Amino acid sequence: MKQSSDRLRQTVVLVSAVLAIVGSFIGSGAAGGTPIQNASGGALAADATPIAPGGPAFGIWTPIYLGLIAYAIWQFLPAQKTDARQRALGYPIAASLVLNAAWILSIQFDLLVLSVPVIVLLLIVLIRAFRLTLASRPKNLIETIVADGTVGLYLGWVSVATAANVTAVLVASGFFGFGLGSDVWGVGVIAVAGLVGVLIALYGRGRLAPAASLCWGLGWVAVARLTGYLLSTPTAIAAIAAVAVIVIVTAFARIRSSSFASTEGLVSA
């Protein structure tokens, strides 16, 4: 019974990865769909809101998707069939893949409001997956990259994307920010995204992957506000400051975690 349950989990992850890849082709416009930045009336375009990242930022999906494909194939190998870590991670990662495809479809069908609960649920699932990667150590470098690294990159980017998505929906619905200027809201939302990055860095003991994708997304927000059509120097400065803080806190948390691990090793020895 356990063996069949393990094979089912592996198959679900693999099929979910295929669905996500098909969705990514549709979302890119390569399969006849409208590119995400042009869908839903351009609500997610680089110049649609003060915190929308520049177009090249979405290149982060390439390593994320490659990582997800690698994980789906790797976890399907016989050696991972009964692995306790993969038993815990499998379904959360599969759920994230399905939710990712659902998010793309919601944008493609101009259901912008629906995209918010979908991406929030995606973020929650990824937080769960990230916590599971922290609960136990990977067995080798391959697992570190395809499981922990992919989940970290995915979480960091979706954290930025969630803030951008919610802001896009508010702007598209005619929200005027209670009379506050777009610069104020831009700085405020970036501050929240930076705080999320700090919390992930501290809780994740300085994991590099989520910090890298968060900084990548925020960095492109800064570029878009300094060089795009929707200029905002305060928002750009806030984004740059958030990147700097995340890098510093991540380095601090990583050093502290390494020192603690060394001390723990000495005590146990």
Side-chain angles (χ1 to χ4, degrees):
M1 184 67 178
K2 195 74 172 178
Q3 293 289 320
S4 61
S5 176
D6 286 329
R7 181 57 67 186
L8 175 62
R9 183 199 75 247
Q10 291 177 303
T11 302
V12 168
V13 172
L14 192 60
V15 171
S16 299
V18 173
L19 289 175
I21 297 305
V22 171
S24 72
F25 275 109
I26 295 173
S28 68
T34 304
I36 291 296
Q37 62 267 29
N38 298 328
S40 295
L44 298 174
D47 58 351
T49 71
I51 68 159
F58 295 94
I60 190 69
W61 279 116
T62 298
I64 291 174
Y65 278 126
L66 287 175
L68 290 169
I69 294 170
Y71 176 80
I73 296 172
W74 174 81
Q75 63 86 42
F76 203 79
L77 298 176
Q80 317 312 325
K81 186 175 181 179
T82 60
D83 182 74
R85 202 167 190 257
Q86 308 322 313
R87 281 174 172 167
L89 274 173
Y91 283 116
I93 289 180
S96 77
L97 289 161
V98 173
L99 286 167
N100 182 36
W103 182 84
I104 291 173
L105 289 176
S106 69
I107 300 299
Q108 288 291 326
F109 286 101
D110 292 329
L111 300 173
L112 192 61
V113 174
L114 180 61
S115 70
V116 172
V118 173
I119 200 169
V120 169
L121 185 55
L122 172 58
L123 180 61
I124 292 171
V125 168
L126 288 173
I127 291 172
R128 170 62 177 166
F130 185 64
R131 292 183 63 187
L132 288 171
T133 65
L134 295 171
S136 60
R137 291 181 177 275
K139 297 182 295 298
N140 49 49
L141 180 61
I142 293 177
E143 184 176 358
T144 299
I145 295 172
V146 301
D148 299 48
T150 298
V151 169
L153 279 179
Y154 203 177
L155 172 62
W157 173 252
V158 170
S159 297
V160 176
T162 300
N165 196 166
V166 172
T167 303
V169 171
L170 289 174
V171 171
S173 65
F175 177 68
F176 294 108
F178 304 114
L180 299 175
S182 61
D183 286 347
V184 174
W185 278 100
V187 171
V189 174
I190 291 297
V192 172
L195 177 60
V196 169
V198 167
L199 292 176
I200 290 176
L202 293 174
Y203 182 75
R205 301 187 290 274
R207 289 286 179 97
L208 298 179
S213 52
L214 263 160
C215 290
W216 172 266
L218 291 171
W220 278 105
V221 171
V223 172
R225 299 293 74 79
L226 291 173
T227 62
Y229 292 104
L230 185 59
L231 301 177
S232 173
T233 301
T235 303
I237 293 174
I240 294 169
V243 168
V245 170
I246 291 171
V247 169
I248 292 170
V249 174
T250 299
F252 167 77
R254 193 169 185 84
I255 292 171
R256 185 180 66 173
S257 177
S258 297
S259 300
F260 177 76
S262 299
T263 303
E264 190 177 54
L266 288 172
V267 172
S268 60

